[in-house]
Amino acid sequence: MNFELPQEYRLLNESIERFAREELMPLEPAVLQREAQGQGSELTHAEQARIDAKAKELGFWGLDCPEELGGSDLPFLAMVGVHERLAYSAVHYEFSPDSANARMLLLNGNEMQKAQYLAPYVRGEIRGAIVISEPGAGADPSGMATRAVRDGDHYVINGRKIWISFLGNADFGLVMARTGDQRGARDGISAFIVDTKTPGFKIERRIPMLGGRFTYEVVFEDCHVPAGNLLGVEGKGFDPMKDRLGSRRIQMASWCIGRAQRALDMMCDYAPQRKTFGQPLADRQAIQWWIADAATRIHACRLMVQDAAWRLDNGVDAKSQLSMVKTFATEMSWEVIDHAMQLFGGMGMTKEMPLHLMATEARLMRVYEGPNEVHRMVVARNALAGAR
């Protein structure tokens, strides 16, 4: 078994690492200052536009999108390193388009939908968001109550959604709604592409989250959506969702590796310098074990994520592996970053360092895209079914 990445992926990783150090990390002081003042940790429009322009100039647009749409058609395995290196900076930034949403459109959209939404999405001309969770249906989306009723050449959507990321700047949402009558079943749920400026699509509130991030609550009130905006087959909305979730979980696990690697590097830089009772922290066994455990778990996690990505690229079942990496990576990064905060002592508790943003993002990801407890249920169920 060859564990060495192809040279083209290694060269790409070096380019992304340089991009993160030169374009993202210099923005950390400004982002940290805004977050400390209660203004959030998101990039300003000017910062976003400048970095987007640089990324596009360097050819980082649409990396995992088809070449005919202007992308580079990179596989999941190549994107692991891309996401990891972008996440080395505490400044949250993603190349356009969002990998998970783009894949959902790519694999399930018809030609009209790809031309109207996916192509400009890849070019960075529009932005999208996924609109699934509801106040009473988060981890178990089969409990969703939002309804879409066919009315001639339109569907009329009514309901409420919550915890929607990136909706403030989105031009369209990938909305899940019930088209069948059986509440509590996954069959009968459909996916729709909905322009956010459609009458009846109302952002109710912006919700402050940990780490200066925001999510949104949205209400649908007689929101008329063209029937042509049905994504995939009516009543089979979970099929497009499955394509999206695999991509997102690979992405999240890769982010966790990047954050944890940054925390480990910070520990390794600081521990030899800081002395307590006449001895460098690097000579203390507790610190050495924190560093050793961090290095070991990061290495194990990277191999797990690469294996899951390889499975997706080769059409091999990866359901258990995706749940494993989502759980393992988010908990690994939380513990590594927590030890880094402890090592830095008082400074580790301040908002002048990036560690608190990294920690809160790791904490958020233990809930986002399915709570870790649900993923453990998936792994256990599959393991028990295959027990011999």
Side-chain angles (χ1 to χ4, degrees):
M1 184 177 294
N2 183 9
F3 287 96
E4 186 176 18
L5 290 174
Q7 184 181 18
E8 61 196 273
Y9 299 172
R10 298 200 304 273
L11 293 174
L12 174 63
N13 289 344
E14 292 173 6
S15 298
I16 302 299
E17 183 174 334
R18 186 163 53 249
F19 175 87
R21 290 186 180 276
E22 294 177 357
E23 304 297 334
L24 300 182
M25 292 181 69
L27 290 174
E28 285 186 0
V31 168
L32 291 170
Q33 185 178 38
R34 288 199 296 267
E35 195 280 332
Q37 295 171 349
Q39 300 172 17
S41 62
E42 297 174 351
L43 294 172
T44 66
H45 290 299
E47 291 167 344
Q48 182 82 39
R50 181 181 62 79
I51 298 175
D52 282 350
K54 185 65 175 180
K56 193 169 187 178
E57 174 191 330
L58 293 171
F60 296 152
W61 234 231
L63 288 175
D64 53 352
C65 293
E67 293 181 3
E68 59 267 25
L69 294 176
S72 300
D73 206 19
L74 291 180
F76 283 104
L77 186 58
M79 294 303 295
V80 169
V82 171
H83 297 314
E84 175 185 338
R85 281 155 182 81
L86 280 180
Y88 192 83
S89 169
V91 174
H92 184 85
Y93 178 77
E94 300 175 49
F95 296 135
S96 185
D98 179 287
S99 292
N101 294 343
R103 182 163 294 272
M104 187 171 173
L105 286 169
L106 174 66
L107 296 181
N108 300 280
N110 57 38
E111 293 308 310
M112 181 278 289
Q113 292 167 347
K114 291 178 182 178
Q116 187 174 344
Y117 293 98
L118 182 57
Y121 198 20
V122 173
R123 295 194 298 267
E125 297 168 0
I126 59 175
R127 296 181 182 275
I130 187 74
V131 187
I132 307 175
S133 296
E134 299 183 5
D140 180 13
S142 65
M144 71 174 58
T146 297
R147 295 271 304 167
V149 178
R150 184 71 181 258
D151 182 15
D153 58 357
H154 283 76
Y155 284 88
V156 182
I157 302 179
N158 284 280
R160 181 180 296 269
K161 299 287 186 177
I162 199 168
W163 315 128
I164 312 304
S165 300
F166 311 120
L167 189 59
N169 297 318
D171 299 286
F172 69 91
L174 299 173
V175 179
M176 304 291 286
R178 185 167 294 285
T179 48
D181 296 326
Q182 189 179 355
R183 180 80 181 273
R186 293 201 170 195
D187 285 343
I189 293 176
S190 303
F192 299 89
I193 308 170
V194 184
D195 295 338
T196 56
K197 291 183 172 59
T198 304
F201 189 117
K202 301 179 180 180
I203 294 180
E204 187 92 332
R205 62 181 175 131
R206 186 170 80 153
I207 307 169
M209 307 295 286
L210 293 175
R213 305 286 289 280
F214 298 94
T215 61
Y216 296 82
E217 184 173 11
V218 60
V219 174
F220 294 92
E221 295 180 349
D222 292 332
C223 181
H224 286 67
V225 179
N229 281 31
L230 173 70
L231 185 62
V233 179
E234 182 178 315
K236 299 295 182 181
F238 273 94
D239 292 339
M241 275 301 302
K242 290 174 185 176
D243 296 322
R244 178 189 177 277
L245 290 174
S247 178
R248 177 65 84 219
R249 286 161 187 166
I250 290 290
Q251 186 179 41
M252 289 176 67
S254 303
W255 287 341
C256 288
I257 296 170
R259 293 285 197 259
Q261 186 65 57
R262 174 76 179 281
L264 173 58
D265 291 347
M266 291 174 70
M267 285 195 284
C268 290
D269 289 342
Y270 183 68
Q273 302 175 34
R274 171 64 169 154
K275 290 185 178 181
T276 59
F277 305 103
Q279 223 178 347
L281 287 179
D283 291 347
R284 307 287 184 188
Q285 186 182 64
I287 305 301
Q288 292 175 353
W289 283 22
W290 287 352
I291 290 172
D293 288 347
T296 301
R297 297 184 71 194
I298 290 170
H299 179 61
C301 189
R302 187 177 286 120
L303 292 176
M304 288 175 65
V305 177
Q306 289 175 349
D307 171 67
W310 178 88
R311 285 172 172 267
L312 289 178
D313 286 331
N314 288 276
V316 179
D317 179 68
K319 188 172 184 179
S320 287
Q321 286 74 18
L322 290 168
S323 287
M324 288 176 185
V325 298
K326 195 276 184 182
T327 303
F328 187 85
T330 54
E331 295 177 3
M332 176 276 294
S333 63
W334 168 261
E335 292 183 14
V336 171
I337 296 166
D338 184 68
H339 281 154
M341 295 174 76
Q342 189 75 9
L343 185 147
F344 276 89
M347 276 301 296
M349 301 300 107
T350 71
K351 291 196 170 186
E352 296 179 358
M353 297 188 72
L355 288 169
H356 73 97
L357 281 184
M358 295 158 57
T360 50
E361 183 171 33
R363 184 63 187 86
L364 284 168
M365 286 194 286
R366 284 163 56 192
V367 173
Y368 282 0
E369 302 293 332
N372 285 7
E373 292 74 17
V374 171
H375 287 286
R376 282 188 164 88
M377 288 169 55
V378 171
V379 174
R381 183 170 62 241
N382 291 340
L384 288 167
R388 290 179 295 186

